[in-house]
Amino acid sequence: MRLLIGEAPMLLVSRHPCRVFGVTKRAKAGTVLSMISLPTSERMYKAVIESEKSFDGVFYVAVKTTRIFCRPTCPARKPLQKNVEFFASPGDALYAGYRPCKRCRPMDRVEQAPDWVREAQELIEQDPGRRLTNKELPPLGLQPERLRRYFKQHYGMTFQAYARGRRLGQAFSKLREGQHVIETAMDHGFDSTSGFREAFHKAFGDAPSRCHGKGVLLMRWIQTPLGAMVAAATDEALCLLEFSDRRMIALQLRTLASRFDSVPVPGNNAVLGLIESELAEYFAGTLREFKTPVAYPGTAFQVAVWRRLLEIPYGGVLSYGAMARDLGFPDAQRAVGKANGDNRIAIVIPCHRVIRADGTLCGYGGGLWRKQRLLELESGQTNFL
């Protein structure tokens, strides 16, 4: 691998056969997880056209032209096949930039959500770019802990995670369209996209219009068998590769924008094209060493940890304690764990290969279920094809 060094839940098993992933609840360390199976796109579209009730809850259909996602049985006008895509969970659709349909209410389970939950959802939909804190909820007649419990139990995510999904999803939606440099983005309607500029600023720490005089950190959306990832790169190196639902992603983007004096904008370049193709080979089980150049500015200690991660071979693992000893700081296991968590380039800088001394899993920003699946892939226990 070429390097550019900078500064010192459980899975559901569906009734129908094609692979996609989703999360329902946090998995315990060491748990062996199962893949979600989904029908083919053709079979799912047929289920949508015929409003087949047996598929309700199996998948969710999103309409690109309206930016709305629905249940397969939604009574709304049926979309053209070229305008739809399918998701394993409401969370996946949210982070892809879609909002829930008000007619079929895909966020609800079989029973209808109580009025106070629907009021909270409507509050978010009125201004998806707004960062609503728990302190602001009680004056609006909403109890934060009650909302957290209901959303966690029924939707597999907290209310704040739901709000964050809508906020970031609104900003990420343009990334998925593959738009290029900021001038092109502006020419193609950023000004007319409701709320996008505000969401971009809140999520990424700057406004698209402030790109002049700064560098550009190009970003794109990459689909993988473990969920969508957001990648960011300069013309020289990959700087970010994270699962789109990770809590720290907005902070990481702001940190990168500061360190590279750049503005994150939708786009593509040779580095992003290379990492997309290499990820496809990795998940197919045919690539064991990435050649995409990476840049990982950080403190001297962070860089030392990330360098050591790059030395862990494909299929191998290392304990936090062993890593701390290798670095010459035998009592710094927690610091090593913190630096692992601060890693901004998932999979390529393989922090998923660090485990507890007893062999159990812990501490992965993308979720323990993903860590489990990555280790299973590298040990030959999983085939994503």
Side-chain angles (χ1 to χ4, degrees):
M1 178 186 298
R2 291 177 291 153
L3 309 180
L4 296 176
I5 312 300
E7 307 159 8
M10 287 280 189
L11 297 178
L12 290 173
V13 180
S14 163
R15 301 184 294 272
H16 306 277
C18 163
R19 294 185 184 102
V20 178
F21 289 81
V23 186
T24 57
K25 59 183 178 180
R26 190 178 302 275
K28 295 181 180 180
T31 301
V32 177
L33 302 174
S34 302
M35 261 187 303
I36 287 180
S37 293
L38 288 185
T40 63
S41 295
E42 290 73 18
R43 182 66 186 91
M44 287 189 284
Y45 185 68
K46 182 176 184 292
V48 170
I49 294 300
E50 298 179 1
S51 297
E52 295 185 43
K53 292 184 178 180
S54 64
F55 284 83
D56 216 3
V58 174
F59 69 88
Y60 298 84
V61 58
V63 184
K64 300 174 184 177
T65 52
T66 62
R67 308 306 302 171
I68 291 173
F69 75 96
C70 306
R71 300 175 184 274
T73 54
C74 183
R77 181 180 177 181
K78 303 303 182 182
L80 297 176
Q81 188 169 7
K82 67 179 182 179
N83 292 331
V84 302
E85 58 183 327
F86 303 98
F87 296 93
S89 72
D92 290 343
L94 285 171
Y95 278 100
Y98 294 96
R99 64 180 177 85
C101 174
K102 293 183 179 181
R103 294 188 66 178
C104 66
R105 297 188 176 278
M107 295 298 297
D108 294 348
R109 295 295 179 90
V110 177
E111 74 279 7
Q112 189 175 40
D115 289 343
W116 53 272
V117 170
R118 293 159 64 182
E119 288 173 8
Q121 291 175 323
E122 185 60 32
L123 185 64
I124 296 299
E125 293 309 317
Q126 290 172 2
D127 184 7
R130 177 182 177 184
R131 189 180 297 274
L132 191 65
T133 67
N134 284 339
K135 290 183 179 180
E136 297 175 89
L137 293 174
L140 299 173
L142 300 169
Q143 298 304 315
E145 183 58 24
R146 191 184 187 195
L147 276 173
R148 187 194 69 79
R149 285 197 304 267
Y150 187 93
F151 272 72
K152 190 70 175 176
Q153 179 181 353
H154 290 79
Y155 306 145
M157 64 178 76
T158 65
F159 175 69
Q160 289 296 344
Y162 170 79
R164 185 171 63 253
R166 287 293 291 123
R167 186 167 63 249
L168 294 181
Q170 189 182 38
F172 286 160
S173 63
K174 286 297 175 181
L175 303 181
R176 304 179 71 246
E177 296 174 9
Q179 298 198 47
H180 295 283
V181 296
I182 190 62
E183 290 84 359
T184 303
M186 294 294 290
D187 290 343
H188 282 75
F190 273 26
D191 278 331
S192 62
T193 301
S194 176
F196 175 69
R197 294 171 66 84
E198 183 180 358
F200 193 106
H201 175 78
K202 288 183 178 180
F204 304 142
D206 212 336
S209 60
R210 295 183 61 181
C211 179
H212 183 69
K214 290 189 175 184
V216 172
L217 199 61
L218 293 179
M219 303 173 59
R220 68 173 298 180
W221 185 277
I222 299 176
Q223 292 289 350
T224 81
L226 293 184
M229 301 188 79
V230 175
T234 64
D235 286 338
E236 292 77 33
L238 182 70
C239 308
L240 176 80
L241 184 64
E242 277 290 5
F243 291 100
S244 64
D245 55 359
R246 190 179 178 192
R247 180 184 297 271
M248 288 180 60
I249 195 167
L251 174 61
Q252 290 173 331
L253 284 167
R254 287 194 290 269
T255 299
L256 285 174
S258 174
R259 287 189 176 276
F260 287 94
D261 192 26
S262 299
V263 175
V265 297
N268 195 19
N269 60 17
V271 174
L272 293 174
L274 178 58
I275 189 57
E276 181 177 34
S277 63
E278 288 199 325
L279 281 173
E281 293 175 19
Y282 170 81
F283 281 109
T286 60
L287 183 141
R288 296 193 169 201
E289 183 177 353
F290 289 90
K291 292 183 173 60
T292 301
V294 294
Y296 43 93
T299 66
F301 184 77
Q302 286 176 325
V303 169
V305 170
W306 298 335
R307 281 175 174 167
R308 182 65 185 92
L309 288 174
L310 287 165
E311 296 172 356
I312 305 174
Y314 182 97
V317 294
L318 190 68
S319 71
Y320 293 94
M323 176 173 282
R325 290 191 296 274
D326 290 349
L327 295 171
F329 302 98
D331 298 324
Q333 295 185 37
R334 289 193 175 185
V336 166
K338 175 66 166 60
N340 263 23
D342 291 335
N343 173 33
R344 292 182 289 267
I345 308 177
I347 300 178
V348 179
I349 298 181
C351 54
H352 61 277
R353 295 175 189 165
V354 184
I355 62 175
R356 289 192 179 107
D358 63 4
T360 57
L361 307 186
C362 69
Y364 190 61
L368 289 184
W369 69 278
R370 287 191 175 113
K371 186 170 187 172
Q372 177 80 38
R373 301 307 287 177
L374 291 171
L375 292 176
E376 288 177 354
L377 169 66
E378 295 180 1
S379 64
Q381 299 178 51
T382 290
N383 184 350
F384 288 110
L385 293 179

